[in-house]
Amino acid sequence: MDYSEFNDDVDGLYRGEYAGLPIVSLRPPGAPMPAAGEAAWRLSVRVHDAKETFEEHFARFVETVDTTEVRAIIVGGWGEAYENDASGPIRLLAENAARLPALRSLFFGAMPSEECEISWIVQSDVTPLLEAFPLLERLEVRGGTELALRPVRHDNLRILRFETGGLPPAVARAVGEGDFPALEYLELWLGAENYGGDTTVADLEGILSGERLPALRHLGLQDSEIQDEIAAAVVSAPVLARLESLALSMGTLTDAGAEALLESGSLTHLRRLDLHHHFLSDAMVERLRTAFSGVELDLSEQEKPDDDWYYVAVSE
């Protein structure tokens, strides 16, 4: 799997590509539009001064686009997303699942920071999206406030990502307690405690065991204030042996966590190790480069604590 498209840029998905398809928005009536199956459709209304509701926008989408061919959808703003939760848009998608039989990729909550900070996005229970779309292969969700997930079985999901400034512990537990036999790529931004990111290593136990994730090849446990503890837990986790790629980036990784990675000797089989945005000393950086010389190693964004404050890359 190519991991290059996944990064910590929370302001994208307006232009460029998503899931290998060019991103397009609905055009005015009469304007030419691409073939429905040849685009990633961005459905979004402004957070401020929206000219239509999300429900009206979605109705226009299903009326003007051949939704039976749509393969990828990006849901951006649904109005005042810091006041109104995501249950309405989730319900709309789930209720219209029969109109979207080809949908395989879904990004939910793609709002840039100038429109709505990641911690201001009020999410909801996203389980209905997995239940309504059993053929979905990729689900990505931005925003952790009121985010919920129940343990489910999904036979076709290959990519699951949660971008948050604070991941509720129950979501991490639900991932580990669910059954995802096809899941290859899992990425969780755990965030800061001040923004609800109080997930502990114990909450990650089901994920680290790998019992219900037999196809997993990439694991990202990122953006955490307990990055050292997570590093120490990962090196002895049963899931590690089957991974090709590991990301412990965006968090407060220090020399203590990096020492655990070095001492274990259990990571040299990896093709890729992402530790960017870290608090490692120069000496530790060199030790890691030597130890993982045969691994694609990302040690960019070497940070310095701010008066003993170690900060994650994404919180508010």
Side-chain angles (χ1 to χ4, degrees):
M1 181 181 294
D2 180 9
Y3 307 113
S4 60
E5 67 175 297
F6 301 110
N7 55 54
D8 57 352
D9 178 7
V10 296
D11 293 336
L13 300 179
Y14 266 101
R15 57 189 63 84
E17 290 189 349
Y18 174 65
L21 298 169
I23 297 171
V24 299
S25 299
L26 284 181
R27 311 278 172 80
M33 290 192 294
E38 301 304 317
W41 294 90
R42 181 177 172 86
L43 306 179
S44 182
V45 299
R46 293 174 58 86
V47 171
H48 304 287
D49 304 320
K51 292 183 173 58
E52 60 183 348
T53 65
F54 187 86
E55 289 79 3
E56 292 169 337
H57 188 72
F58 187 84
R60 189 156 60 89
F61 170 64
V62 299
E63 289 166 4
T64 58
V65 174
D66 182 2
T67 56
T68 63
E69 300 295 327
V70 170
R71 294 187 286 155
I73 289 176
I74 300 163
V75 174
W78 49 82
E80 295 183 344
Y82 48 83
E83 293 183 356
N84 301 313
D85 69 31
S87 57
I90 290 172
R91 185 185 68 254
L92 269 179
L93 284 167
E95 289 177 349
N96 286 275
R99 291 183 168 187
L100 295 160
L103 186 66
R104 297 295 181 268
S105 300
L106 174 61
F107 196 116
F108 194 88
M111 284 167 262
S113 59
E114 62 266 20
E115 188 171 347
C116 190
E117 296 286 1
I118 192 169
S119 65
W120 301 357
I121 300 171
V122 182
Q123 279 290 349
S124 185
D125 185 355
V126 297
T127 315
L129 297 175
L130 292 172
E131 294 173 332
F133 297 98
L135 299 180
L136 196 68
E137 296 177 357
R138 176 171 178 171
L139 175 63
E140 296 166 87
V141 179
R142 180 175 298 164
T145 301
E146 296 188 23
L147 177 65
L149 178 71
R150 289 175 277 112
V152 293
R153 180 180 177 90
H154 197 289
D155 289 329
N156 292 291
L157 198 69
R158 295 176 54 245
I159 298 169
L160 179 60
R161 299 179 65 245
F162 288 102
E163 296 183 357
T164 80
L167 186 75
V171 174
R173 292 196 298 270
V175 172
E177 293 168 5
D179 284 296
F180 297 99
L183 195 69
E184 300 175 19
Y185 188 106
L186 175 61
E187 181 177 318
L188 306 180
W189 295 10
L190 303 176
E193 186 174 3
N194 285 345
Y195 294 97
D198 48 359
T199 296
T200 66
V201 169
D203 295 315
L204 301 171
E205 196 170 292
I207 295 171
L208 294 175
S209 76
E211 289 181 9
R212 295 180 171 87
L213 302 167
L216 198 67
R217 296 298 176 265
H218 171 86
L219 176 60
L221 300 174
Q222 302 162 240
D223 198 50
S224 176
E225 291 181 316
I226 59 167
Q227 205 72 65
D228 286 347
E229 293 179 42
I230 291 171
V234 165
V235 296
S236 59
V239 75
L240 180 61
R242 72 177 68 122
L243 298 182
E244 298 175 357
S245 176
L246 174 67
L248 302 174
S249 56
M250 302 170 60
T252 61
L253 187 71
T254 70
D255 284 10
E259 193 70 52
L261 301 181
L262 289 171
E263 289 181 355
S264 72
S266 58
L267 278 70
T268 53
H269 70 287
L270 294 174
R271 288 173 38 216
R272 186 169 185 269
L273 177 59
D274 181 4
L275 303 178
H276 83 271
H277 183 94
H278 57 82
F279 293 84
L280 304 176
S281 66
D282 291 343
M284 180 57 74
V285 166
E286 290 308 312
R287 288 179 63 193
L288 287 168
R289 283 177 176 155
T290 299
F292 296 105
S293 59
V295 176
E296 181 185 341
L297 180 63
D298 189 346
L299 287 167
S300 61
E301 299 180 42
Q302 184 179 19
E303 309 291 337
K304 300 293 183 185
D306 184 3
D307 291 331
D308 295 327
W309 175 47
Y310 293 78
Y311 48 88
V312 299
V314 176
S315 54
E316 184 180 11

